[in-house]
Amino acid sequence: MSELLRLEKMRKTFPGVLANDDIDLSIEQGEIHALLGENGAGKTTLMNCVYGVYRPDRGRIFWKGKEVTIHQARDAIALGIGMVHQHFMLVPPLTVAENVILGLPSPREPLLDIKAVEKEVEELSQRYGLAVNPSAQIWQLPVGVQQRVEILKALYRKAELLILDEPTAVLTPIEVDELFAVLKSLKEKGISVIFISHKLEEVMKICDRITVLRDGRKIATLKTTETTPRELAKMMVGREVFLKIDKPPLKPGEIVLKVEALSAKDNRGLPAVRNVSFEVRRYEILGIAGVDGNGQAELADVLSGMRRASSGRVEILGKDVTDCTPLEIINHGVAYIPPDRQHTGLILDFTVAENLVGKSFFKSPLSKWGILRRESIEEFAQQAIQEYGIRTPGAQVKAKLLSGGNQQKVVLARELSGNPDLIIASQPTRGLDVGATEYVRTKMVEARNRGAAILLISTELEEVLTLSDRIAVMYGGEIVGIVPADQADIHEIGEMMAGTKRLVDGTLTLKIQETEKAYESSD
Amino acid sequence: MLDQLLSIFANVEFYAAIIRMTTPLLLAAMGSLLAEKAGVVTFSMEGMMLMGAVGGIIGSGVTGNVWMGVLLAILFGISVGLIYAIMAVSVGAHQIVTSVGLNLGALGLSAVLYPLVFKRGEEVIQTVIRVPSMPLLKIPILGDIPFVGNVFFNHLPPVYIGYLLAPVVWFILYRTSWGLKVRAVGEHPHAADTVGISVAKVRYATILFAGACSGLAGAFLSIGLLGSYMENMTAGRGFIAYTAIVFGKWEPTGVLLGTLLFGMADALQLRIQALGIGIPYQFLVMFPYVVTMIALISLVGKASWPASYGSPFRREAG
């Protein structure tokens, strides 16, 4: 096999951060090569330098043995490099064909001959086994199909090297299998793939060689056949990791959250949550699995008081809190860890201290007669910073200057103070690295062990499986099944997430009562 | 009184006036629609139009040739557009604030330029200066059709340009590669950037086009309809044109209908004024603006502006 791409001593710095420290990399023709590392290890930055999104401070790029300069994406595309970003670079109101042709001359320039493009896309999708409807608008398509459009876009531009940034993060288990099949067929046709990931099993399954990055440095390049997940994890983190969280079996206590036949609409006024019923008890974590966009976000909104229910009922410790305001719900002992810490979880331009007291600043001793008491707030903040090990230069530093993991610790410190009875955690570890993920999960299990009820909403199936005592699956706004975690079958859950299987139907509440009963008798 | 009102609607001249009064709004709104689709707020149309109006009178008055006036009006409009593009695209300044600044600046500059060129000092405010104005262009054959001919085919040249602009803009947006770029830049500039489209280039080009069309709209007011100039001649028509874009939900057909609605309101109030039926004229002058408000409240519903609307594009911020 011949070498397709070689990077020599690539270096990229951002203000205050050395993102890539003299990285060397070699990609061969027709191989699937993993870039493995934690968040912030510099994988995406390195690839953005190759793709012309960033300009490296120094370093040399060789393409098919010849040195090249890549100043912008256009240069990379012209060479035959395609990149599928983690956040898709597709224009939602445009069709598949329009997105594919975008930026290229159409067959009948300057006229846009979209029919001809649709035909070409059709042919291309058949050749590589990437089924899509070329005239569908992007926003109508599931994420897995959108990803195929991104790949088609690169292939249409005659890409010989495809860079995929965390391609499986948004996919269901079935879609992951489909993606892997596509990657194998690309490989057979001689196309190279760089697969950016932090998921060990996937990398082991699909890749030929693996390059591990840590803190902006290259640790090693290994053949998949000559390494183990354990060795890779150690290289990635720099120490032994134990992702298995110690969770003692506990008997669930009284019902804390009871949701009955709850429905709600999304921002466009369409039904997003449909007739959902479940309960969460003390000493219990109920995990809600599901692909993003199946009503989980709207459900969390309703439960935290940020969205009105269109029908149904929510009870906390026996009291009706349906359509209460967020403050009233907080006063019922509810903590909410929102999915998006940058926009909903924190006020980034406020200091760490101000964010920490966000839920209690109006109470004594933090304020008196409506006037904030600086010393009390500072003291409260310092205590939280100590207790949660928040790495910050000080309490008066703006929250936006903290790393993702430390930002999430600020949210946790604020929400978990005062020992809430119910914790609604939506995507609590999204975008966090292994260390921070471990920390957040430990904190959740600790809260459960002291008697809180926890509703965990996560699109990471692995997270739901690790933490939950019971698992509910949401699809199309409905709960399509609730199973005790020790009886959970990953394939069955995967099928439910994809909507091809359901354990409950019209007689939803009845079935749930049955599972509850079975659950109680199993203790 | 009802009889008198009804008589307005029975008159061919009223329908021709709708077409005429719609023209400046249509030129500005349709010309700016491409920039709007590319994600730029073209709230600076008022200033572009006003500079166009004064440019028209200067060009026509100084050279004695009305077409030189049209040319200068377009150049003035493009100049305002260029300043706006530098501020909104290159500098990344707040687009509404920049627009307000440009609109006020144009108001001041036009009030200075006009007396300066025609050297009448104080006098200029009282006396009306006449300059060569645009000739009527009757379309052969079509113009002779009864009723229809008078309503649609016996107008000043910019009228035809305005109505042709609607299908042309639609065609550019939806049937050319370039229009696809414009839409992509407005909806997802980062995606456009990653496939090698220059977001800045698209936005500059569309803003300059908006400037040229708005400049022509201004000239239509000064050296088209009147052949003379008054201070603040546009009187908020740039803002109404902007409203028509919102009203039309950023689609060419919608924008066309919006401008026609406001053009009709304008034509109607002029005719009611002429009836002399005891309503103070100030109220009648308000009429188109009131219609604008009511239209926006009752008909628009949830607007659908481009996703990157009003936000400057920064590459490394994404």
Side-chain angles (χ1 to χ4, degrees):
Chain A
M1 266 186 216
S2 61
E3 189 179 59
L4 187 65
L5 175 77
R6 189 167 82 245
L7 305 181
E8 281 182 9
K9 299 227 173 299
M10 295 288 282
R11 175 185 283 261
K12 173 74 187 170
T13 48
F14 292 111
V17 189
L18 179 56
N20 286 157
D21 186 1
D22 290 350
I23 295 179
D24 295 334
L25 184 70
S26 163
I27 306 294
E28 281 176 5
Q29 200 158 19
E31 77 162 335
I32 302 180
H33 192 117
L35 267 191
L36 184 69
E38 293 212 279
N39 289 308
K43 302 166 299 209
T44 305
T45 305
L46 182 65
M47 286 304 110
N48 274 333
C49 287
V50 173
Y51 194 60
V53 178
Y54 298 148
R55 283 201 197 178
D57 303 347
R58 65 159 195 250
R60 304 165 79 183
I61 303 173
F62 295 86
W63 179 256
K64 296 179 180 169
K66 259 189 277 173
E67 184 163 8
V68 290
T69 45
I70 299 173
H71 287 313
Q72 46 190 338
R74 204 182 309 182
D75 303 339
I77 295 167
L79 288 173
I81 301 173
M83 182 161 174
V84 179
H85 295 79
Q86 200 172 357
H87 303 285
F88 295 154
M89 289 296 168
L90 297 171
V91 187
L94 302 187
T95 68
V96 171
E98 284 176 329
N99 269 285
V100 168
I101 192 72
L102 185 62
L104 296 176
S106 107
R108 273 172 56 208
E109 197 66 14
L111 299 187
L112 181 68
D113 189 354
I114 207 66
K115 287 275 170 283
V117 180
E118 282 174 6
K119 226 176 125 201
E120 285 175 324
V121 171
E122 190 90 58
E123 285 165 13
L124 207 56
S125 69
Q126 268 165 19
R127 194 177 334 146
Y128 292 99
L130 290 146
V132 302
N133 170 9
S135 59
Q137 282 177 308
I138 296 299
W139 64 268
Q140 301 170 318
L141 301 173
V143 216
V145 181
Q146 293 189 12
Q147 190 170 56
R148 277 180 231 156
V149 179
E150 281 280 29
I151 296 174
L152 275 173
K153 227 168 98 179
L155 294 175
Y156 190 87
R157 288 164 169 74
K158 310 247 181 306
E160 291 171 66
L161 170 67
L162 200 58
I163 303 167
L164 303 175
D165 191 0
E166 303 267 357
T168 59
V170 291
L171 303 181
T172 63
I174 293 164
E175 287 174 325
V176 169
D177 289 343
E178 286 169 4
L179 172 70
F180 284 0
V182 168
L183 294 186
K184 278 188 189 131
S185 104
L186 290 177
K187 182 180 149 180
E188 277 162 23
K189 297 192 167 71
I191 291 170
S192 310
V193 176
I194 297 180
F195 187 92
I196 304 178
S197 180
H198 61 251
K199 292 183 185 166
L200 295 168
E201 335 84 73
E202 290 177 354
V203 163
M204 292 297 292
K205 196 167 159 190
I206 187 79
C207 297
D208 302 308
R209 290 195 301 160
I210 300 163
T211 295
V212 184
L213 301 186
R214 187 173 79 225
D215 297 332
R217 268 192 297 273
K218 173 173 157 177
I219 305 299
T221 296
L222 306 151
K223 280 199 174 124
T224 311
T225 46
E226 291 165 9
T227 184
T228 61
R230 199 182 171 80
E231 184 189 21
L232 291 173
K234 204 172 157 186
M235 284 182 176
M236 255 168 87
V237 185
R239 63 176 166 86
E240 291 277 349
V241 262
F242 304 98
L243 260 180
K244 208 77 197 144
I245 291 202
D246 215 15
K247 204 179 71 177
L250 289 172
K251 195 175 163 55
E254 63 177 320
I255 295 172
V256 178
L257 172 68
K258 186 171 184 175
V259 175
E260 278 177 356
L262 187 72
S263 296
K265 296 193 167 93
D266 67 11
N267 293 342
R268 290 171 297 169
L270 304 171
V273 179
R274 301 161 193 255
N275 200 26
V276 162
S277 303
F278 60 85
E279 297 166 353
V280 195
R281 294 161 179 261
R282 287 198 187 279
Y283 301 104
E284 176 186 61
I285 299 180
L286 173 68
I288 296 194
V291 182
D292 219 356
N294 275 287
Q296 304 100 312
E298 287 80 5
L299 175 65
D301 281 353
V302 173
L303 297 180
S304 58
M306 301 203 295
R307 183 182 295 272
R308 293 189 78 85
S310 44
S311 65
R313 188 177 157 89
V314 182
E315 270 179 24
I316 289 169
L317 288 167
K319 292 200 188 68
D320 184 3
V321 296
T322 322
D323 291 337
C324 279
T325 65
L327 182 60
E328 286 164 345
I329 286 177
I330 289 169
N331 289 339
H332 276 91
V334 178
Y336 178 46
I337 299 166
D340 184 351
R341 62 181 159 271
Q342 307 243 329
H343 292 111
T344 327
L346 293 172
I347 305 177
L348 289 179
D349 280 317
F350 276 24
T351 65
V352 171
E354 284 167 330
N355 272 294
L356 282 168
V357 300
K359 254 170 85 173
S360 48
F361 64 89
F362 46 86
K363 289 182 198 155
S364 177
L366 300 177
S367 71
K368 207 169 188 185
W369 310 113
I371 294 168
L372 295 174
R373 299 176 64 198
R374 293 183 61 95
E375 311 85 66
S376 305
I377 290 175
E378 179 72 23
E379 199 182 311
F380 179 96
Q382 288 301 345
Q383 205 184 328
I385 288 170
Q386 290 250 305
E387 193 184 330
Y388 286 82
I390 301 166
R391 269 195 284 166
T392 166
Q396 298 307 325
V397 168
K398 284 189 177 173
K400 69 175 169 197
L401 296 173
L402 269 53
S403 72
N406 283 295
Q407 286 179 349
Q408 192 69 335
K409 282 181 182 176
V410 173
V411 175
L412 278 180
R414 182 186 70 213
E415 293 299 326
L416 300 186
S417 71
N419 294 338
D421 295 310
L422 172 67
I423 300 166
I424 301 166
S426 194
Q427 309 282 13
T429 62
R430 180 188 272 176
L432 300 187
D433 62 33
V434 177
T437 300
E438 206 178 1
Y439 182 85
V440 171
R441 291 182 180 174
T442 312
K443 278 286 166 194
M444 306 245 302
V445 172
E446 271 175 32
R448 161 199 181 256
N449 294 349
R450 68 155 175 80
I454 298 178
L455 180 69
L456 167 73
I457 299 175
S458 177
T459 51
E460 295 268 344
L461 185 52
E462 177 261 339
E463 175 159 281
V464 173
L465 290 169
T466 316
L467 290 178
S468 310
D469 296 298
R470 283 188 301 146
I471 298 168
V473 181
M474 262 186 109
Y475 175 77
E478 291 177 290
I479 288 189
V480 290
I482 301 185
V483 288
D486 48 11
Q487 295 168 23
D489 169 28
I490 182 158
H491 292 291
E492 191 177 66
I493 290 180
E495 281 176 40
M496 287 196 277
M497 283 168 71
T500 50
K501 178 171 184 146
R502 51 194 303 156
L503 292 182
V504 287
D505 46 30
T507 53
L508 185 77
T509 33
L510 197 90
K511 291 275 185 157
I512 285 174
Q513 277 161 5
E514 276 169 26
T515 30
E516 300 261 327
K517 233 181 266 164
Y519 181 45
E520 267 164 34
S521 58
S522 73
D523 301 326
Chain B
M1 186 179 126
L2 196 63
D3 284 357
Q4 287 175 301
L5 278 176
L6 285 177
S7 72
I8 291 176
F9 293 97
N11 192 338
V12 181
E13 191 34 42
F14 171 63
Y15 299 97
I18 293 177
I19 298 300
R20 197 162 54 233
M21 300 316 288
T22 301
T23 299
L25 306 175
L26 184 59
L27 279 169
M30 207 57 82
S32 300
L33 185 58
L34 288 172
E36 288 273 325
K37 277 288 202 188
V40 181
V41 182
T42 58
F43 201 62
S44 48
M45 270 183 269
E46 175 78 3
M48 295 171 173
M49 275 176 87
L50 199 51
M51 288 311 290
V54 79
I57 203 87
I58 291 172
S60 178
V62 170
T63 64
N65 179 341
V66 65
W67 304 117
M68 292 313 285
V70 170
L71 186 66
L72 195 66
I74 290 173
L75 285 179
F76 273 26
I78 290 178
S79 310
V80 180
L82 184 62
I83 300 172
Y84 186 53
I86 291 169
M87 293 299 290
V89 181
S90 303
V91 178
H94 191 286
Q95 297 181 4
I96 300 282
V97 173
T98 308
S99 295
V100 169
L102 279 178
N103 292 339
L104 292 175
L107 189 59
L109 188 61
S110 59
V112 171
L113 272 182
Y114 177 60
L116 206 65
V117 171
F118 291 94
K119 296 189 184 72
R120 296 280 184 91
E122 301 252 313
E123 217 185 321
V124 80
I125 299 155
Q126 276 92 44
T127 48
V128 176
I129 297 165
R130 291 264 161 216
V131 302
S133 66
M134 298 175 195
L136 277 176
L137 176 65
K138 186 173 170 183
I139 306 284
I141 306 166
L142 290 174
D144 292 324
I145 306 172
F147 189 77
V148 175
N150 276 333
V151 173
F152 293 106
F153 301 112
N154 197 0
H155 284 288
L156 302 172
V159 176
Y160 306 115
I161 297 177
Y163 288 92
L164 279 177
L165 208 49
V168 167
V169 165
W170 178 88
F171 188 84
I172 290 174
L173 272 177
Y174 295 106
R175 288 290 180 272
T176 68
S177 300
W178 203 76
L180 183 65
K181 283 185 193 177
V182 169
R183 287 185 286 146
V185 164
E187 290 291 344
H188 197 335
H190 282 283
D193 186 47
T194 54
V195 292
I197 295 170
S198 166
V199 175
K201 230 185 251 173
V202 168
R203 289 189 172 165
Y204 260 85
T206 52
I207 293 173
L208 295 185
F209 183 70
C213 293
S214 303
L216 180 61
F220 180 75
L221 292 173
S222 62
I223 53 173
L225 294 175
L226 282 180
S228 66
Y229 180 80
M230 294 178 297
E231 204 172 313
N232 190 21
M233 173 146 221
T234 49
R237 282 191 177 81
F239 300 129
I240 294 192
Y242 180 77
T243 313
I245 293 175
V246 179
F247 175 87
K249 299 189 178 177
W250 285 267
E251 291 302 331
T253 14
V255 174
L256 176 63
L257 288 176
T259 52
L260 276 169
L261 175 71
F262 301 137
M264 186 180 73
D266 215 3
L268 192 60
Q269 67 90 7
L270 282 172
R271 299 232 147 14
I272 298 176
Q273 264 191 60
L275 290 178
I277 45 170
I279 306 173
Y281 81 92
Q282 288 91 342
F283 282 99
L284 291 169
V285 173
M286 272 166 56
F287 185 60
Y289 307 92
V290 174
V291 169
T292 310
M293 299 292 289
I294 294 170
L296 276 184
I297 294 163
S298 55
L299 294 172
V300 168
K302 186 130 172 43
S304 46
W305 49 81
S308 77
Y309 198 48
S311 35
F313 174 67
R314 288 274 169 277
R315 185 173 279 174
E316 299 218 355

